[in-house]
Each structure stands twice: as C-alpha cells, then as structure tokens.
Amino acid sequence: MSPPHSSDSFTTPPISGTRRDEVDAMDTRFLADEMSLWLTPAYGAANVVMQLANAAVAYGVMESTVDSGNLHKHPFKRGRTTLTYIAVAVAGNARDRQIYREAVGQAHKFVRSSKQSPVRYNAFDPALQLWVGSCMALVFEDSRRLRGGRTYHDPDEIHRAAAIFATTLQVPPQLWPADRQALARYREEQLQRLDFDDRMREFLIGTARLDFLPAPTEKLLGDWNLFMTLGYLPPTLRAKLGFDWTDAQQRRFESLLRLLRVLDRLTPHLIAHLGLRLLIWDMRARHAIGITVV
C-alpha cells in the first residue's frame, strides 16, 4: 500500500482577489435557509469523514495532543465547537469571526507533525484548512442535490458566501476558488489524490460508526449512521474506503432521503436560524466571561 499523501501534495485553486475583511463583513445569514434540520445532521458524519480523508488532516486529529478537543475523550464538547464554527460562519459578524479564528489558532498551534509521524502536517497549513473549508461548503451543494435541485438562493451567491468556512480558519481569501466550477475541479482533484493506510481507514470507518459516543449509542445507531454516511459520500471516496455499494443499498438510501425531504419541507426555516443564533450567543457569552471558546 502506498503511503498517504502529505499536505505538500495538495495544490491550491485559482486566486479570487477578495480581502479578508470584506469576507468577514459579509452578511451570510441567508445561508441558513439552505441548511436542513433533517438532511444536514445525517449528512454531518459523511462531511467529517470527507474532511478526515486527507491524510494530513486525519493524522493531525489522530495524533493531536490537545485533549480538550479530542473527539473520543470529549465528543460533546467537540460537537459544540464544530456547531459553533458553523454558526459563526453562517450567522456571525466580523467580530465573531475574528474571535473564533483566534481561538482556533490558539488550539491549532500545538497541532503539528513530529519526527515519528508518517505524514507531515501543520494545522496552520492553508492547503489543509482549505480542504476542510471546502468540505464544509459542500453542505450547500449537497443539500440542494438532496432536495432534488431545490434551492432558496442563487447558487453563485451561495458559493461566494461559503468562502467564510475557509477564512474563519486561517485561509487567505485569495485561495478560495473563483467560481463553483473551479471549486468542483479542486475537490475532484483532491478526491483523486486521496490514499489511506490501515490506521486511517479504521479511524474513518470508526468515526462513521460513532465509536466516539457511549457504547449504547454506538450500538444502537452505529450501523445506521455508517450506512447513511456511505450513501452520502462521493463514490470515489466510498470505494477508496473499501466499500461496495449495491443497487439495493442505493434504493434503500433514496427511500430514506424521500422521508427526510418531506420533513425538510414541513420544518420552518426560523428553527434553523434560531439554533444558529443560540450558538452565537453562547460563544459571545463564553468570550465575555473568559471561558474557552474552542
């Protein structure tokens, strides 16, 4: 088996020419309309697996010495910080994004490869953070696809606003792909480059099986979550993980999606907006009283 690629093997997309302060100041609240309380959560595990499919990102997480953000040691805290990151990107203002970027930077400064690491990585590497941000932005494209093509806003406008998922990390705005077509080419290039060793594959599958949650939860929901994760993943990534996907599985997956679409149509957008606002208020309160944000 060939070794996983390091961050050096990931290229950057075309320059878009936007300044960070312009991106931070964008009003991205309309993005909440594109998120679904039913489609997005079940999709979340697949999105995390896709982020971690980059070997340098995966090893950065697996070898991280920052225990406070360890998924297996503090799964609910990690869930809160991830959801807050999404809320800051979608519903935050420029100050919120600056606070969160600095908090993430404080945690990331300890995440770098050692001499013993099989893959070189540095959590401040823009190429790695761009991959994570581009995966997060994919939720809007996939939500549109899962809704049968239905969208509430112009896809090009969504693409421009989704740059916030990368710049809320440390990615310079100039690295965000200029348009949706450039982003699609970038993702496909990276998907073709992905390669796993056995440790990575076990880690990704375990994450999809919810092995970081208490045993009763994992036993109850693990197989279902793995099935849904595989259904959501791009076929290229699913195959690289070593899974076949039959026509019968696809039919079962699509049946579940039809149910989720119905629930999605029946749920007011206000609920998603309110959930994001509550996370923003929590983050601001934590920052104001000096409690850790990340």
Side-chain angles (χ1 to χ4, degrees):
M1 177 182 295
S2 57
H5 291 289
S6 72
S7 62
D8 294 338
S9 65
F10 279 71
T11 59
T12 54
I15 292 175
S16 64
T18 306
R19 299 201 320 263
R20 185 186 294 278
D21 59 342
E22 293 175 335
V23 178
D24 275 354
M26 284 195 306
D27 184 352
T28 59
R29 287 174 294 179
F30 71 93
L31 291 177
D33 295 337
E34 302 296 323
M35 302 176 73
S36 166
L37 288 176
W38 300 99
L39 292 167
T40 303
Y43 169 85
N47 198 275
V48 170
V49 168
M50 190 170 177
Q51 295 170 41
L52 295 172
N54 178 317
V57 176
Y59 270 90
V61 171
M62 290 189 294
E63 297 184 341
S64 175
T65 59
V66 184
D67 282 351
S68 62
N70 189 298
L71 180 63
H72 288 81
K73 294 182 179 180
H74 304 285
F76 299 107
K77 177 181 182 294
R78 185 61 184 261
R80 174 183 60 78
T81 57
T82 299
L83 290 173
T84 302
Y85 160 62
I86 295 171
V88 167
V90 172
N93 58 32
R95 178 58 178 159
D96 297 326
R97 289 156 185 165
Q98 180 184 0
I99 291 170
Y100 212 73
R101 186 183 303 114
E102 291 174 355
V104 169
Q106 286 297 312
H108 278 180
K109 68 182 181 181
F110 300 106
V111 181
R112 59 183 64 236
S113 53
S114 66
K115 293 180 180 179
Q116 291 74 39
S117 300
V119 177
R120 286 180 297 168
Y121 60 84
N122 183 327
F124 280 98
D125 184 345
L128 299 184
Q129 294 189 339
L130 177 62
W131 172 249
V132 172
S134 72
C135 290
M136 296 295 296
L138 185 62
V139 69
F140 301 109
E141 295 178 32
D142 281 346
S143 290
R144 184 163 60 248
R145 174 177 59 83
L146 296 168
R147 283 177 169 138
R150 187 162 53 95
T151 185
Y152 301 98
H153 299 278
D154 176 49
D156 291 325
E157 185 181 6
I158 293 170
H159 166 77
R160 288 189 292 270
I164 204 71
F165 282 100
T167 59
T168 300
L169 297 172
Q170 308 292 338
V171 179
Q174 293 80 7
L175 291 186
W176 189 246
D179 52 40
R180 289 189 294 141
Q181 293 73 25
L183 182 59
R185 290 193 299 271
Y186 165 75
R187 284 205 196 96
E188 185 58 31
E189 174 191 342
Q190 308 317 314
L191 285 170
Q192 293 299 327
R193 289 170 177 257
L194 297 178
D195 195 12
F196 310 135
D197 59 19
D198 291 339
R199 181 183 177 189
M200 248 188 89
R201 183 174 286 104
E202 181 180 357
F203 178 66
L204 294 179
I205 294 172
T207 299
R209 287 189 187 277
L210 305 177
D211 68 352
F212 52 88
L213 292 177
T217 304
E218 179 189 356
K219 186 174 182 180
L220 180 64
L221 298 176
D223 288 342
W224 178 84
N225 200 72
L226 175 62
F227 173 80
M228 294 299 292
T229 297
L230 293 174
Y232 283 123
L233 285 178
T236 300
L237 181 51
R238 189 165 58 215
K240 289 190 175 191
L241 281 172
F243 287 94
D244 294 323
W245 190 252
T246 66
D247 291 341
Q249 288 173 309
Q250 184 63 28
R251 288 193 296 271
R252 179 188 169 201
F253 178 70
E254 289 175 355
S255 295
L256 290 168
L257 283 183
R258 283 193 290 272
L259 173 61
L260 293 175
R261 286 190 192 110
V262 171
L263 295 173
D264 175 60
R265 291 190 180 98
L266 295 175
T267 304
H269 290 164
L270 177 63
I271 296 178
H273 284 269
L274 179 59
L276 294 170
R277 295 309 305 169
L278 289 173
L279 287 164
I280 291 290
W281 293 332
D282 175 72
M283 187 274 291
R284 290 174 179 170
R286 286 173 175 275
H287 179 72
I289 64 179
I291 298 177
T292 181
V293 171
V294 174

